[in-house]
Amino acid sequence: MYNRILKNLLTQQMLVIKDLTKNVLNEEITSSQVFNQELLSRLIESIPQGHRDIIVDFLSGFNELLQEAMPKPPLDIQEKRIRKAKDYIWKNYKKSITEIEVAQHVGLSTSGLSHLFKNNGAGYLYYLNEVRIEHACRLLLETNDTVEGIGYCCGFVNSAHFNMVFKRHKGVTPGKFRKIKSEKLKIKNE
């Protein structure tokens, strides 16, 4: 009985996936409309509790296969999307922006955005933190604002996280960075 129920559930889900794939390929809907969080949540909620893990594992595997099988957009489209994503991050790095928000802005799923960034050298979160750290470095050198205040100004939710990410990217804490750079400037100006 368990196998029959599972087979019926998989058949129903495959029909939904087949229809969605056909609509995406016919350009009737975009992949970001298919793979949005609300739709995925409703899809998962429609599966009986005892079968969710099996179906979610299956759908995750299917999604990976689908991503690999789908034709890659021309390079110029990818370049436009990455540029659009990076511009959005540069304009909004001070806010608490999510990968979902950026993905929706460029018309991709979160996994599509993740692949886009990784194909361009760094993951989404790494790039976001790199932008924030770059701005923090400038503020550390050009202002007398507190390290904590600079962290908040650059989009970090607390000083401990700011210190940890900064040290990971620069090899020293923000306070040490400011001290070292200030001393180098003094020596250079003498």
Side-chain angles (χ1 to χ4, degrees), residues 98-116:
T98 65
E99 192 169 7
I100 293 170
E101 183 181 337
V102 177
Q104 288 174 343
H105 181 74
V106 298
L108 290 172
S109 66
T110 53
S111 63
L113 182 71
S114 178
H115 288 298
L116 185 67

Side-chain angles (χ1 to χ4, degrees), residues 21 25 35 59-73 78 109 111-112 115 119:
T21 305
L25 293 175
F35 296 109
L59 290 175
S60 296
F62 180 78
N63 184 39
E64 288 176 22
L65 290 173
L66 187 60
Q67 291 287 335
E68 290 172 12
M70 293 292 285
K72 305 291 183 249
Q78 289 183 352
S109 66
S111 63
H115 288 298
N119 290 339

